[in-house]
Amino acid sequence: MEPWISDAITAGGPTTPVACPAHDTVVIRTQADFNRYASNQTLLASTSIGSVVITWPNITSSALSALLSQKTSIGELVIEDAVLLTSLSPALDRVQTISSSITLNRLSQCVSLSFPVLTQIGSAFNIDSLARVTNISVPELVTVGGAMRIHNLGSLVALDTSSLVTVNQSLTMARLTRVSGPTMSSALSSLRSVGGAAFFQHINALGSDTGAALNLESLRSVGSNFEVRETRLGRYIPAFCGDKYRMLYLLSLMRPCLLYTSPSPRDLSTSR
């Protein structure tokens, strides 16, 4: 019997096999959806699964773990609007490959995202609007086959993508206003190639850590535009940019300053 045959088939049961579509696509929008998949022992024990799309607001970290903790390979992962989810661990601790894309969006209570052994994402990697996330750890990730977008994470202080070498399409990192200095220096330290545009904006824009600098020293090629706004690069400007970009970048850091000189309306006797 093929592994996709439902566990509902038992001796004395139906003579026609019942296909378990959960192995191809898992869509969880309600408690009833979750209960149906969580009761399928073949699904739970399998190490691979197709698309997982979760928009059920009340799924918890323990429920997610019950569903996915044995998985080493996932086709596509989408989790949105799950307001009770606080962490992806241990649910995704064994996942090594995502053959399509990852989308994590509007997880309002989530504080930590961890993919400890994930090495490859076949398509897009999209993390957006996770207001409470303080830590993202994907330390073994080497390749993102599509675009990579990490955006609008106002509480993020630690980002580990230190093994990332290639992003095949565009790379966008924006509104990461609290990322710490050591994190910025190591997060993209191995990145060598971006197939599309590379855009960095409002990273550590609050300026709480004067030693913060995004390390792009290993970056050798960008397929389209390379743009940095309100983000410290310091000495870690990519080598391919050359002296012209270094000068433009330094000029972009300058801010207008009005200097009062004599005579001053406030102190005519001592102004210079």
Side-chain angles (χ1 to χ4, degrees), residues 5 9 27 30-31 74 83 91 93 104 174 180 197 238 248 268:
I5 300 300
I9 302 173
V27 179
T30 65
Q31 175 80 60
I74 297 177
V83 297
D93 285 358
L104 305 172
S180 66
L248 290 174
L268 295 176

Side-chain angles (χ1 to χ4, degrees), residues 5-70:
I5 300 300
S6 172
D7 292 302
I9 302 173
T10 59
T15 57
T16 303
V18 179
C20 177
H23 283 3
D24 297 323
T25 301
V26 170
V27 179
I28 299 177
R29 299 188 179 97
T30 65
Q31 175 80 60
D33 290 338
F34 174 79
N35 291 343
R36 178 160 58 95
Y37 293 116
S39 64
N40 187 318
Q41 296 304 311
T42 299
L43 169 65
L44 300 184
S46 67
T47 58
S48 64
I49 196 170
S51 295
V52 177
V53 179
I54 299 174
T55 57
W56 177 36
N58 294 331
I59 193 167
T60 63
S61 297
S62 59
L64 186 68
S65 180
L67 191 68
L68 300 178
S69 62
Q70 301 301 315

Side-chain angles (χ1 to χ4, degrees), residues 14 19 41 105 110 115 126 133 141 158 163-164 166 173 187 206 212 241-242 266:
Q41 296 304 311
N105 196 12
C110 194
F115 298 84
N126 182 30
V133 164
L141 181 63
S163 296
L164 183 63
T166 303
M173 296 178 67
L206 297 181
C241 291
R266 286 178 282 190

Side-chain angles (χ1 to χ4, degrees), residues 73-146:
S73 175
I74 297 177
E76 178 187 21
L77 178 64
V78 177
I79 306 177
E80 296 182 320
D81 300 311
V83 297
L84 297 185
L85 196 65
T86 58
S87 174
L88 299 185
S89 182
L92 301 173
D93 285 358
R94 297 186 180 186
V95 176
Q96 300 173 19
T97 60
I98 304 283
S99 58
S100 183
S101 61
I102 298 177
T103 298
L104 305 172
N105 196 12
R106 299 184 303 274
L107 310 181
S108 58
Q109 300 300 317
C110 194
V111 296
S112 177
L113 303 179
S114 178
F115 298 84
V117 296
L118 181 64
T119 60
Q120 182 175 353
I121 300 172
S123 186
F125 185 19
N126 182 30
I127 301 176
D128 196 353
S129 301
L130 276 63
R132 296 193 178 188
V133 164
T134 60
N135 175 68
I136 297 176
S137 179
V138 202
E140 303 300 322
L141 181 63
V142 176
T143 303
V144 175

